[in-house]
Amino acid sequence: MNEYWILIFVFLSSFVYGLIGFGDALILIPIASPIIGIQAAIILVTIWGVVPSVLNLIQYRHFMDKKFLIRAILTGIPGAVIGSLLLLLSINLRWVELLLGCFILTYSILKIRSVLKTKEEIQTEDIFISKEISEPILIIGGFSYGLFGGLIGASGPINVALLEGTGHYKENFIGNFAAIGFPLTILKISLYIATDSFPKDNLLIIFLIGLPIIIFASKLGHKLTPKIPVETFRLIILVALIIIGIRSILKQTIFYT
């Protein structure tokens, strides 16, 4: 019966995903893991994640940066394959999560200081300000996004860094985030199907009940996104990353048993 409590957080995580374009797995996996196990939680949340990704793609289909997407997806595919296969081998994920937590915290603190110090203001909504990013950084970032996504199912902060670094904000940010993640998610699900790894028992019922909840919550988030100023949107994301980074580090150090 405890498994059904997950559905409350399915609503919350899907609303956040619809509102700012990421964070569903980062919210839901830590909550679901103690109840159904880490591997089952990652697989279940990954498959659920297809629904809000598709909804965001449809909602923001006019904001796609095709050149950036092709490069990010091609570098992310090998990482996603390797990460998913390592997950299915049931390796110890403690150091993986700790490393990602340190990266998230460092990046978000430096970025939020920069935003507040310069008091940069972006007046135009739905904006994309083209920024160059070096090829090695893009390759490493795309591969890392796929790798960590396959391993722990929650690599959104790496994608955040890539999109922020190339000047994608708000609707541009959300749409391109979904466009990068969608094909990699389908690839990971294909590996789960090929290895017969989908969680069994009553989790199938929970999965089906969760689908309409995800749709409703994501659509609710879509209605609120246009009302958020661009710089406020950026600060919300960076504050969320700081909280996620601190939680990840504490989980793998102080609270690790």
Side-chain angles (χ1 to χ4, degrees):
M1 187 63 185
N2 287 337
E3 289 90 343
Y4 289 92
W5 283 103
I6 296 173
L7 294 172
I8 297 174
F9 298 98
V10 167
F11 175 84
L12 174 62
S13 62
S14 299
F15 170 74
V16 170
Y17 189 96
L19 182 67
I20 64 173
F22 83 106
D24 55 332
L26 289 162
I27 293 172
L28 196 52
I29 289 176
I31 292 167
S33 295
I35 300 173
I36 62 176
I38 180 65
Q39 188 180 95
I42 291 173
I43 293 173
L44 185 62
V45 173
T46 298
I47 299 173
W48 260 331
V50 172
V51 179
S53 289
V54 170
L55 294 175
N56 279 2
L57 280 171
I58 295 172
Q59 182 74 14
Y60 303 115
R61 61 189 179 278
H62 302 300
F63 298 95
M64 299 296 104
D65 181 356
K66 294 180 181 178
K67 182 180 177 181
F68 174 79
L69 290 175
I70 291 172
R71 294 159 72 198
I73 291 170
L74 288 179
T75 55
I77 287 174
V81 172
I82 294 171
S84 297
L85 293 176
L86 289 174
L87 169 67
L88 297 176
L89 292 175
S90 300
I91 66 170
N92 190 327
L93 299 176
R94 178 191 178 191
W95 295 107
V96 177
E97 294 191 41
L98 182 59
L99 177 63
L100 184 59
C102 291
F103 165 78
I104 294 169
L105 186 59
T106 302
Y107 170 83
S108 53
I109 289 175
L110 292 175
K111 193 68 179 180
I112 201 169
R113 285 183 61 190
S114 174
V115 171
L116 294 175
K117 183 178 180 180
T118 59
K119 296 182 179 179
E120 178 184 0
E121 294 184 2
I122 301 176
Q123 302 295 339
T124 306
E125 297 295 320
D126 310 337
I127 197 166
F128 166 49
I129 301 175
S130 180
K131 294 181 182 178
E132 289 297 323
I133 186 170
S134 69
E135 197 69 25
I137 291 177
L138 181 58
I139 292 172
I140 293 171
F143 179 83
S144 299
Y145 172 67
L147 179 67
F148 282 103
L151 270 174
I152 61 176
S155 58
I158 296 176
N159 208 3
V160 171
L162 288 175
L163 288 165
E164 279 268 345
T166 47
H168 295 83
Y169 304 120
K170 208 174 173 182
E171 281 86 348
N172 265 290
F173 175 94
I174 297 174
N176 285 285
F177 193 107
I180 295 172
F182 179 73
L184 300 184
T185 300
I186 295 300
L187 177 61
K188 290 183 286 183
I189 292 173
S190 299
L191 291 172
Y192 300 153
I193 294 173
T195 54
D196 193 29
S197 301
F198 186 83
K200 304 297 193 303
D201 304 324
N202 62 330
L203 291 184
L204 179 58
I205 298 174
I206 294 174
F207 171 76
L208 295 174
I209 296 173
L211 295 178
I213 295 175
I214 291 170
I215 294 172
F216 174 75
S218 298
K219 287 294 185 181
L220 183 60
H222 291 167
K223 291 183 179 297
L224 296 179
T225 298
K227 300 177 182 179
I228 305 175
V230 176
E231 282 308 304
T232 302
F233 181 87
R234 295 181 71 194
L235 290 173
I236 289 172
I237 288 177
L238 292 170
V239 170
L241 289 182
I242 290 174
I243 295 171
I244 291 166
I246 293 173
R247 185 201 63 80
S248 298
I249 293 171
L250 291 178
K251 176 186 174 185
Q252 301 305 326
T253 53
I254 297 176
F255 300 123
Y256 181 79
T257 56

